[in-house]
Amino acid sequence: MSRIEKDCLSVDVLIVGAGVAGITAAIEAQQQGVDVLLVTKGAFGRDGAATWTSGYGFQVAANPPDSPEIHFADTLKVGRFMNDQRLVHRLISEIIRQHRNLDEWGVRYLKENGRYVMMRLPGESHPRVPRLTNPGEWAGQEYRRSLTRQVKKRSIRVIEDLFVFDLIATRDGIAGAVGLDLRKGTFLVIQAKETILATGGHMGSYRTTTIPQASGDGTAAAFRAGVTLTDLEFADFYAYTAIWPPVTVGEIWPSVFRYELNGKLLNRLGEDLREKYRGPERVPPLAIEREVNAGRGSLHGGAYLSIRHNLREEIDRVFARMGHPKWLKRLQAMRFDVVEQDIEVAPAGIVSFGGCRVDENCATGTLGLFAAGEAGASREGAYTNAGNSLPLCMAMGAIAGREAGRRAKKQNHHIPVNGKVEELCDRALGPMLRDRGVRPIQLRRTIQKILADYGSLIGRNEQRLTEGLEKISQIKKSGLEDMCVTVKDKTFNLEWREALEVRNIADVAELILTAARARKESRGLHYREDFPKEEKTWLKHVVLKKDGEKIDITTEPVTFPYLSPPES
């Protein structure tokens, strides 16, 4: 028996994660007339990923001649036709509805003569991203303000600081989840008729990331529960992440330079990378990594993002329209002239495309479980356009919430919780009971280094991926079993939470490397040195599922019910 107190509660629909997908799922599920619980591992409204960091965020075909059909086609093309077309077709239609909701809920979009003022980002056939009255760094706050207000307005029950570390898997399906209540230092067992994973992605598994809190919690918990996963080899690394000056490291404000001022990516020799590379190699994250590896990177290991070709008056006009943002004031305080001095940027993990395999209802193949947002796979395929992730994740949340609510309403009883709960709690308590061992932060850094060394954008090949897998396997066999939390006070013990996150990161790292080794071609940002070309024969999903202590690897062909890929 676990040596810690457990509380229990029952709900109709449990939503794990309170980012854009989770919040939207909660709203839609409640509208079905069921009891909804929304849980988040941090403070509500301040710990999500996509919602709160969205700078140029919401592609929607709201102005003719653009249309949902064109948006759909653009999404498939940039996704290299690895998308689930039935899912994406439904999501694109849902985006229109959700954008209308955001407008009604108070997101301050810029309009002229009743039409949204749109900006055009790379990969869009037409301008498709509505401008906000306060752009740039304030965009994420605009969505956060509107969405969290709706949760409070509707009196949706929220539990903060609850880290859900495992799903309760039974022979009949998912019976709910178990989590660590950080405020009390106790476990909470939640029995639910339907559970929605909206935990975000796993890009916090990487050392260089824009979202360190995204530790793959939902993906790892689903994997351990026997849920089928797919597309783990695909992810997006944001090329315009600041690495110099140091006062803004890890921030994505350089997107303003790229999209508002047509910033140029330059190597150490002053060569424009967009002119230097062609085809798949022209993708900015890959281009930067190639230049760095060849010794032509910027002084601090990235590329220069220059806006010198613009008139100072134009630059000042853009900054004034943004209300002279905080990042600009910080740079000015250190006497850094962004016109005369080039900032440095480098790729950092931002969006994961792999996760639970879902159908067009966002239901997994496991009874009682849905996945939305980055926790669900195949919405974006192998790559994505700027501003497409947020609306697709929001649409997934809406569909999952609606479908889960409908199904829960038809059920008279919960799936009985089995004795496995004790085992899950005992395992989670393990790091607290050890008096000595490896600290969670040490293991996290070790795993992140393995991913950087063996699963990076450039350098993936059979040998290196195999070596990386061997190192991760050793960590899972010994390191995790020796992990020790030095602070023994159970109340609000963040090191204990990190220990549980590290277990998730280890599982996710193994899944990423496994999928990357299985896909013997290059597609999106998945680049194999030993298979450098995109192959039509590899228009298939790499499917992973837990099989005892091993990972079962299969492939499934991509289907094309609406749009077929070009012949060449």
Side-chain angles (χ1 to χ4, degrees):
M1 300 291 286
S2 62
R3 286 155 280 183
I4 190 170
E5 181 183 345
K6 290 192 297 293
D7 296 318
C8 301
L9 61 84
S10 296
V11 296
D12 290 331
V13 177
L14 167 65
I15 297 126
V16 186
V20 60
I23 288 177
T24 312
I27 293 170
E28 293 287 343
Q30 190 196 54
Q31 289 178 346
Q32 305 306 312
V34 296
D35 180 30
V36 174
L37 175 63
L38 179 64
V39 305
T40 176
K41 71 176 182 180
F44 177 64
R46 294 194 294 275
D47 73 329
T51 308
W52 323 138
T53 60
S54 167
Y56 282 87
F58 204 100
Q59 281 200 33
V60 56
N63 287 354
D66 200 7
S67 68
E69 291 75 20
I70 297 173
H71 186 182
F72 174 77
D74 286 349
T75 300
L76 297 189
K77 289 173 185 175
V78 73
R80 309 307 302 157
F81 286 88
M82 285 299 301
N83 322 63
D84 180 326
Q85 293 196 12
R86 289 187 175 85
L87 172 64
V88 176
H89 193 267
R90 188 172 181 188
L91 295 179
I92 296 296
S93 299
E94 183 65 35
I95 286 171
I96 301 291
R97 179 175 179 269
Q98 293 305 317
H99 177 251
R100 192 177 303 119
N101 285 341
L102 289 172
D103 198 353
E104 293 174 357
W105 295 342
V107 173
R108 291 168 288 194
Y109 291 114
L110 190 62
K111 299 177 184 177
E112 290 181 357
N113 300 319
R115 283 170 61 96
Y116 297 102
V117 177
M118 297 285 194
M119 68 183 299
R120 186 174 185 174
L121 299 181
E124 297 175 356
S125 296
H126 299 281
R128 189 174 294 141
V129 175
R131 288 188 179 274
L132 299 168
T133 55
N134 289 311
E137 68 175 330
W138 299 107
Q141 296 185 33
E142 191 71 7
Y143 291 113
R144 174 175 62 189
R145 177 183 63 83
S146 300
L147 287 169
T148 55
R149 181 183 295 171
Q150 288 301 310
V151 172
K152 295 171 183 176
K153 178 181 178 181
R154 299 161 190 266
S155 300
I156 294 173
R157 185 165 43 148
V158 178
I159 298 180
E160 300 177 283
D161 299 312
L162 181 71
F163 183 81
V164 169
F165 54 82
D166 268 311
L167 297 170
I168 304 171
T170 74
R171 288 183 299 177
D172 299 317
I174 300 301
V178 58
L180 171 64
D181 187 328
L182 287 162
R183 296 184 180 185
K184 297 179 180 179
T186 59
F187 292 135
L188 179 61
V189 179
I190 306 171
Q191 196 175 15
K193 294 177 180 176
E194 301 290 340
T195 299
I196 302 174
L197 287 177
T199 47
H202 51 254
M203 299 311 284
S205 303
Y206 288 89
R207 182 168 57 191
T208 306
T209 181
T210 62
I211 42 174
Q213 71 273 29
S215 47
D217 305 326
T219 300
F223 170 68
R224 291 191 293 267
V227 177
T228 302
L229 309 176
T230 191
D231 296 346
L232 269 296
E233 67 273 32
F234 297 129
D236 189 15
F237 290 76
Y238 193 65
Y240 309 107
T241 307
I243 61 170
W244 190 266
V247 293
T248 62
V249 169
E251 298 179 10
I252 62 172
W253 61 263
S255 56
V256 174
F257 285 17
R258 169 65 185 92
Y259 299 125
E260 299 279 0
L261 294 163
N262 195 29
K264 294 183 177 181
L265 269 181
L266 308 175
N267 65 11
R268 186 173 294 191
L269 305 179
E271 297 173 312
D272 189 332
L273 302 191
R274 279 183 287 168
E275 295 179 0
K276 182 174 183 177
Y277 290 98
R278 289 291 179 267
E281 294 182 346
R282 193 169 185 253
V283 177
L286 289 177
I288 293 173
E289 286 283 303
R290 288 185 179 281
E291 293 300 299
V292 171
N293 289 349
R296 297 186 295 267
S298 64
L299 184 61
H300 297 92
Y304 297 104
L305 185 58
S306 176
I307 57 172
R308 298 186 192 191
H309 54 284
N310 294 282
L311 296 174
R312 185 175 283 273
E313 292 77 15
E314 171 65 12
I315 295 171
D316 289 341
R317 184 189 66 79
V318 170
F319 290 164
R321 184 167 59 84
M322 295 178 63
H324 297 284
K326 293 178 182 178
W327 56 261
L328 180 60
K329 294 176 182 177
R330 294 202 304 271
L331 293 175
Q332 291 172 338
M334 64 175 292
R335 300 181 183 276
F336 189 94
D337 189 334
V338 295
V339 180
E340 298 299 327
Q341 298 170 269
D342 296 335
I343 63 170
E344 296 182 45
V345 297
I350 190 167
V351 181
S352 46
F353 301 145
C356 300
R357 185 178 63 182
V358 296
D359 61 17
E360 61 267 33
N361 294 321
C362 298
T364 70
T366 303
L367 190 67
L369 184 67
F370 291 77
E374 289 182 68
S378 303
R379 68 194 180 278
E380 289 168 273
Y383 198 48
T384 194
N385 283 327
N388 219 16
S389 292
L390 178 63
L392 289 172
C393 288
M394 186 175 186
M396 285 187 82
I399 292 168
R402 198 176 304 136
E403 294 294 333
R406 288 171 179 169
R407 294 188 189 185
K409 199 169 184 178
K410 296 176 182 178
Q411 299 174 38
N412 295 322
H413 306 287
H414 292 78
I415 296 175
V417 173
N418 57 22
K420 194 174 181 181
V421 169
E422 287 293 335
E423 178 187 335
L424 299 176
C425 292
D426 283 340
R427 184 187 304 154
L429 187 59
M432 290 288 287
L433 301 179
R434 298 185 190 103
D435 293 325
R436 63 184 66 183
V438 185
R439 294 190 65 186
I441 186 62
Q442 293 173 291
L443 280 178
R444 180 190 286 263
R445 289 171 179 166
T446 299
I447 296 168
Q448 289 175 332
K449 187 177 188 304
I450 291 170
L451 272 182
D453 292 345
Y454 299 95
S456 185
L457 292 179
I458 301 296
R460 288 183 176 183
N461 59 47
E462 192 79 13
Q463 179 182 346
R464 295 188 65 77
L465 290 167
T466 299
E467 290 175 1
L469 279 167
E470 290 171 353
K471 292 180 179 293
I472 291 294
S473 178
Q474 188 59 40
I475 285 176
K476 292 186 69 173
K477 288 177 181 177
S478 58
L480 294 183
E481 297 304 317
D482 294 334
M483 189 162 51
C484 172
V485 173
T486 56
V487 178
K488 301 303 182 184
D489 186 354
K490 294 184 177 69
T491 305
F492 230 104
N493 191 328
L494 296 182
E495 189 182 23
W496 188 8
R497 186 182 77 176
E498 183 171 36
L500 299 175
E501 288 177 335
V502 167
R503 183 172 61 129
N504 293 335
I505 289 173
D507 281 338
V508 165
E510 183 178 35
L511 293 165
I512 291 170
L513 295 174
T514 299
R517 187 173 64 171
R519 179 168 292 280
K520 301 187 188 305
E521 65 149 1
S522 294
R523 191 179 294 266
L525 294 187
H526 166 70
Y527 183 81
R528 286 284 299 259
E529 288 181 336
D530 43 354
F531 299 98
K533 295 182 179 179
E534 185 176 289
E535 302 288 350
K536 195 169 185 179
T537 55
W538 265 99
L539 278 168
K540 49 190 175 184
H541 299 287
V542 175
V543 179
L544 308 178
K545 189 172 183 178
K546 185 174 175 60
D547 180 15
E549 295 303 313
K550 297 180 180 180
I551 300 175
D552 181 57
I553 308 168
T554 57
T555 60
E556 292 182 0
V558 180
T559 59
F560 312 108
Y562 295 101
L563 188 64
S564 296
E567 289 299 319
S568 59

